[in-house]
Every structure is written in C-alpha cells, then in structure tokens.
Amino acid sequence: MTSPAKQDSQHGDFRQYLPDLSTPRFTTIATNDAHGHAKELKEKHAPPWLHGLYVHWLKLFQEPFKGVTNDGVVRPDLFKIRDEGVPIDTIVAAAHAVVAQLTPAQAAKTILHIDSPEWRTWSNPEFLLSDKGIRLEDLSAPLRASVLAVLEATLSPEGYAKALGAMRINHFLGELVRAPRVMNEHSYNFVLFGGAGPSATRPWGFSFYGHHLCLSVFLYRTQIVVSPWFTGAEPNVIDDGPHRGTRILQEEERLGLQLMQSLGAEQQKQARVYALMKDPAMPKGRWNHDDQRHLCGAYRDNRVVPYEGVLVSSFTAAQKDLVRGILHQYLLYLPSRSRELQLADIAARFDETWFSWIGGFGDADPFYYRIQSPVVLVEFDHHSGVFLTNAEPAKFHVHTLLRTPNAGDYGFALRGQIEGAVEQEYVWEG
C-alpha cells in the first residue's frame, strides 16, 4: 500500500514537466483574459480537439434532461423529500446578501428560473464557454466575499476547504504557465436558480463553476443535493508561495488504491476491466482526448453507463469500510447530517453497487476507478498533461466527479414531488 511519503514524492514530480512558455500557445494565453481565451476557441477553433468537444457538447445539450442510467431506463422512487437538517435560513441570508448587491444587469444574468436548462451548461476546462451569472474576478471585493460566503454557509467546513484548495491550485497553475488572467483563484462563475429568489420554503439553487471546480447545488427547505460536481487539479499540490502545502484529492487516491490492493486475486481480475490506461481492447470512444477515461463529466447528463467490475456486497467488512471511506470523501461537500444520510442510502444498496478499475495497482501506477449504484456514481482518473507536458497519466493530475443517477442530478427527481415547484410567473385569473 502506498505511503503518504511516497504520495508526496509522486505528486511533487510535476516540475520536470513544466512547459516551454515561449511557444505560441503560451505566449497567446499570456496576453488573454478569460473572454479572449474563449474567443480563441469559438472563433479560431483552437485547439481543434477541444473545439470539436465543444460542438459535441452543444449537441448533447439539445437532449431533454433524463439523467445518467445504467441501461437507459430511469428507475423511479429512489429519492424522497426529507429533513436533512441543512441550515437553510443561514444559506438564504447569505444568498440574499449577494442579490442585494447585484446591479439590474448582473441580476438579469445571474437569477434564472428554477427549471432553466442553464443548470446543465457548466464545464471544467479553463475556457469560459458559458458566460452566465457573475464572475468572481470581475466583482468588487465585498460582492466577491458575499458569493464565497454562500459557498461557506452551504458546504461543510471540510468541503468548503476542499473547494478553496481547488481554486488556489488553479491560481498556482496560472502562475506556473503565466496565464493569470485565465486561471486564478477567482476565475469562477456564480449563478442562482429560482426566479423568486433564495427561499427557506421554495426550491432554489446555484451553480459555481470554472476550471477544475464545478458545483451544482439544489436546495429545498432543509434538504440539499450537491450533484453533479467535478473537482480536479493539475498539479494537485502547491509547492511554493503563500499557500504552499495545499493538496487535494490525495485521500480519494489513497483509499481507492488501498481498496484495490486489498482484494483477492479473483476479485481484482473481475474489478479490472482494462489493464492499460489506454488499452487496445477498449471499444471506440471508451478513451477520448478530453475526458480520457471518465464518463460522466460536463454535458454527459444522459449518459448510459453499464455496470461493470465486482459487486461491493462480495467484499469483507473491512473492504466495505474502505468503500464507505471513499464515498465519505466524495460526499465531503455535503453538510455532515446530509452526508450521513446519503452514505446510509448508498450502503443500503451495496448489493447493487459495483466497483471497477482501469490500469495497474502497484504503488506507482496511475489508475482509474468507479463506484456505481442506482443512487451514486463516482469516478477517479489520473490524467496526462494538459498544461504540463507528461504524455502519460500521472498522479499529479487528477479528475474526480460525482453524479446522482436516475434523475437525481440538479435535484431533478425531487422537484416533481414539490407542490408548486414549477413557478407560474403570470397566471390569468379573469
């Protein structure tokens, strides 16, 4: 099993892969802000692979929301309205403090209908592809602080620290590649959903998204859904500057590897669906340039992901505890009571929860894993370089994400259970 010291060494290897900043890619990005950088993609189709992905995303967006499934059929009645003890009054007060500072023009871009399809237009690359809401780097210091206060009031303390860590690492990457106006601690957009405004009694929510951090948060009374979310890092540690020592996603890595190494040989064989990270046995599309191995990133709201690997119900008690430990990390953004309830929901379905693996499972090997059931899907993937130059997946570039299958994302499965959830902004009573 890998040790923390060995992890430190593996994560710290990134400096040997720093890019040549004199190349056109980096001299161009150095002169751009987020809007100019997005223009390069949309108008000049640079880079072509990402422009192709963007065009594909727009096609996916035309599909009505259905939700991630294992077989194309949404299972009903998996999610219920309940009291999770969320401090809704505190969250609402923090959100109203943001609304009170918005100009009319900002409010028009930021406060959208609860059923707006714009819930689905988040994405994790550094390109600002959907310019809605307000962007932290463009705000006054008081308004920016108020937006962060909404995050802090909504997320658990450890979840908020994780989000800040992702933002600070993004800033660090911007410094490393001299692109501070494209990637910095505040290059994130904030959007509110719920035309009547934040409410302690009506459904509403928000999206917070940018490079390597995208959070979709739905709230109804004292219940919360944080799904889908995406969190990544390249590199995943800051080794210099005021936030030196900041590190994220190392526990998801450590626990996943520990689980795989703990399995018996036959279970490891069942769990490992491909031996290589880019395996010749993979069907077309199983690996792609952008998402590499993970399946349920931006715009993949309706993806069919068949179960594969080994059933968690076949694990020993200690191995099931490792699964719970992994899921605890993936539910870290949730307030503690909500996290406990969702962990219990998932554990109750361990007999239909699957663990799958791609890659090696020695201490030094990069890898991918997924845990999937009717009520949760989480993915972990070591990536090759995007800004760094490592051609092969490395442990210092990580993508993680969570989906709630069967229409659980964006609180969609709950909305139909809420009386009057569809807002009637004009009703003829004559």
Side-chain angles (χ1 to χ4, degrees), residues 110-424:
T110 303
I111 306 173
L112 307 183
H113 194 283
I114 184 65
D115 291 320
S116 170
E118 296 296 331
W119 274 105
R120 300 170 55 198
T121 57
W122 60 272
S123 62
N124 56 280
E126 81 284 0
F127 291 89
L128 179 55
L129 301 179
S130 177
D131 187 15
K132 58 186 181 291
I134 48 178
R135 191 164 177 86
L136 264 61
E137 63 186 342
D138 297 334
L139 305 181
S140 66
L143 180 51
R144 183 165 56 242
S146 293
V147 171
L148 292 175
V150 174
L151 277 187
E152 186 172 16
T154 304
L155 306 178
S156 69
E158 54 272 35
Y160 181 63
K162 179 179 178 178
L164 285 184
M167 295 163 68
R168 289 168 178 167
I169 288 173
N170 187 55
H171 186 104
F172 180 61
L173 176 61
E175 292 179 332
L176 285 175
V177 300
R178 297 180 192 167
R181 294 198 298 157
V182 174
M183 294 182 292
N184 61 70
E185 190 173 352
H186 299 135
S187 51
Y188 296 87
N189 283 44
F190 176 78
V191 190
L192 284 165
F193 295 96
S199 170
T201 59
R202 292 183 59 81
W204 65 286
F206 62 86
S207 178
F208 185 90
Y209 66 97
H211 187 224
H212 276 161
L213 180 65
C214 307
L215 305 172
S216 303
V217 179
F218 173 84
L219 293 149
Y220 177 59
R221 297 190 175 180
T222 58
Q223 188 167 5
I224 185 171
V225 175
V226 182
S227 178
W229 63 250
F230 179 101
T231 306
E234 182 192 21
N236 72 322
V237 62
I238 298 176
D239 67 355
D240 193 22
H243 298 298
R244 181 176 181 175
T246 298
R247 184 194 306 269
I248 63 171
L249 309 178
Q250 74 275 16
E251 284 301 294
E252 294 88 332
E253 177 188 87
R254 182 183 65 82
L255 292 170
L257 181 58
Q258 185 178 349
L259 175 60
M260 183 61 175
Q261 290 179 341
S262 77
L263 299 180
E266 184 58 33
Q267 286 180 312
Q268 287 175 338
K269 183 178 178 181
Q270 294 173 18
R272 188 161 71 161
V273 291
Y274 298 104
L276 303 177
M277 293 291 271
K278 189 177 180 181
D279 200 304
M282 290 176 173
K284 183 179 180 180
R286 183 59 188 86
W287 182 96
N288 59 70
H289 190 82
D290 49 279
D291 290 331
Q292 300 199 8
R293 283 147 297 277
H294 70 73
L295 298 169
C296 293
Y299 291 84
R300 310 291 181 171
D301 298 298
N302 297 334
R303 190 148 202 173
V304 177
V305 183
Y307 294 134
E308 56 186 357
V310 60
L311 273 170
V312 170
S313 57
S314 70
F315 291 176
T316 66
Q319 290 164 344
K320 289 175 183 176
D321 283 344
L322 284 172
V323 173
R324 291 186 182 92
I326 293 167
L327 293 169
H328 176 90
Q329 294 300 318
Y330 277 85
L331 298 174
L332 203 66
Y333 289 124
L334 292 171
S336 59
R337 177 60 178 155
S338 298
R339 189 189 314 148
E340 292 170 5
L341 290 169
Q342 292 203 27
L343 276 171
D345 292 342
I346 298 167
R349 295 183 180 275
F350 273 177
D351 60 340
E352 47 183 341
T353 300
W354 295 80
F355 173 70
S356 58
W357 188 273
I358 296 174
F361 46 92
D363 285 358
D365 293 327
F367 54 81
Y368 161 95
Y369 70 78
R370 182 171 77 251
I371 297 173
Q372 180 182 357
S373 83
V375 294
V376 74
L377 186 157
V378 304
E379 295 184 276
F380 179 100
D381 197 19
H382 288 123
H383 271 228
S384 56
V386 173
F387 288 94
L388 302 177
T389 63
N390 53 297
E392 299 298 324
K395 293 202 170 183
F396 48 74
H397 186 183
V398 181
H399 282 191
T400 64
L401 62 87
L402 177 144
R403 288 280 187 170
T404 306
N406 294 299
D409 282 340
Y410 312 108
F412 197 88
L414 299 179
R415 292 189 221 174
Q417 303 174 49
I418 301 170
E419 185 177 353
V422 177
E423 298 174 9
Q424 302 295 324

